[in-house]
Amino acid sequence: MRYVRLRARPAEGEGFHPLGEQLSADPAVERGKVYRVDLLADGTALLLAEARGDRDRYREILESSEHVLGFSVTDGGEGGWWYSYTHFEPTEVTERMLEVRYDLGLAMEMPIEVEPGGSMVFTLVGPEGAFAEAMRADDPEYELEVLETGEHTPDLDDLFLSLTERQREVLKAAVGLGYYDDPRAATHEDVAREVDAAPSTVGEHLRKVESRVFAQLVR
């Protein structure tokens, strides 16, 4: 098994998505690492990321974006960083970037580093032949630069993989139903019906998920 560390640079502007471009271009906000980004079954996506600077301005950008379906922002922590769950509608280019790893059987390690100007640095893991296919998948919307490659030593310190299968099921249902939207669009009872569990059990699972996720983010 091998890895390749890549830099993806937008062909134009400062982001691969209108929301990311607006955040990167705003001097009041500094984008940090992306800890999770996933396509959901309904075609929308979930982003878990950090940022710092003017938190009110950050919220204004998310609230005004036509692509954002809901979000939740934490208080500032060490170094002024805060974290946000954002439920959003991906564009065609962001869908292609997220799907290529699945199409080629590659895994993406987290976190993704967001650089000034909107470029992103990330690591893909998988068979060497798949990397060649990924590099041949030219896209006019972004450019890829190989930074490093070599034999891969597995690192299981992954936020999502650190959860149990049942916790992941409950979290996906909660996100899909809008439990983490702002304002909240679902309750423990709604999630419980989706996963066939008691509301109190759902609440316990979500508390454990939130505790584990945020403990890893701020450690």
Side-chain angles (χ1 to χ4, degrees):
M1 185 182 300
R2 295 184 65 82
Y3 76 90
V4 61
R5 187 166 174 79
L6 300 166
R7 174 180 287 116
R9 183 180 297 106
E12 296 181 2
E14 297 188 28
F16 303 100
H17 186 281
L19 176 61
E21 183 164 6
Q22 189 173 3
L23 291 170
S24 291
D26 197 303
V29 173
E30 179 184 352
R31 298 175 71 192
K33 296 177 181 178
V34 172
Y35 288 92
R36 196 78 203 179
V37 58
D38 282 304
L39 288 174
L40 304 180
D42 61 1
T44 62
L46 174 68
L47 179 74
L48 173 61
E50 65 181 4
R52 64 182 175 185
D54 188 333
R55 195 161 66 101
D56 289 337
R57 176 57 182 154
Y58 185 87
R59 291 179 60 91
E60 287 176 5
I61 293 173
L62 268 60
E63 287 172 348
S64 64
S65 174
E66 63 180 355
H67 298 280
V68 174
L69 302 173
F71 67 89
S72 180
V73 181
T74 70
D75 294 331
E78 185 177 352
W81 294 104
W82 65 78
Y83 303 91
S84 65
Y85 288 96
T86 305
H87 185 200
F88 69 100
E89 295 177 336
T91 60
E92 289 185 5
V93 64
T94 51
E95 281 188 11
R96 291 197 300 272
M97 293 181 73
L98 291 173
E99 288 176 343
V100 68
R101 55 177 165 156
Y102 301 122
D103 294 340
L104 299 176
L106 295 170
M108 181 181 291
E109 287 196 338
M110 295 294 170
I112 299 170
E113 298 172 18
V114 181
E115 299 181 326
S119 294
M120 292 188 173
V121 175
F122 57 96
T123 299
L124 295 177
V125 178
E128 189 169 6
F131 296 146
E133 289 295 325
M135 297 305 296
R136 282 198 292 269
D138 293 333
D139 194 301
E141 301 293 336
Y142 60 89
E143 303 169 355
L144 289 178
E145 175 189 358
V146 177
L147 302 178
E148 183 179 309
T149 186
E151 291 295 326
H152 179 257
T153 301
D155 180 3
L156 299 181
D157 187 15
D158 180 278
L159 286 173
F160 200 65
L161 292 180
S162 69
L163 305 178
T164 68
E165 182 176 353
R166 185 58 167 168
Q167 288 170 347
R168 292 197 294 269
E169 180 185 4
V170 172
L171 177 59
K172 285 183 176 180
V175 170
L177 291 172
Y179 179 81
Y180 287 106
D181 290 357
D182 187 9
R184 182 163 287 170
T187 64
H188 285 173
E189 287 75 15
D190 296 324
V191 179
R193 283 192 291 271
E194 185 74 11
V195 299
D196 192 23
S200 59
T201 302
V202 165
E204 182 179 357
H205 280 309
L206 291 179
R207 284 191 295 274
K208 288 180 178 179
V209 167
E210 292 160 0
S211 175
R212 177 163 295 186
V213 168
F214 288 110
Q216 291 195 42
L217 288 178
V218 302
R219 67 183 176 181

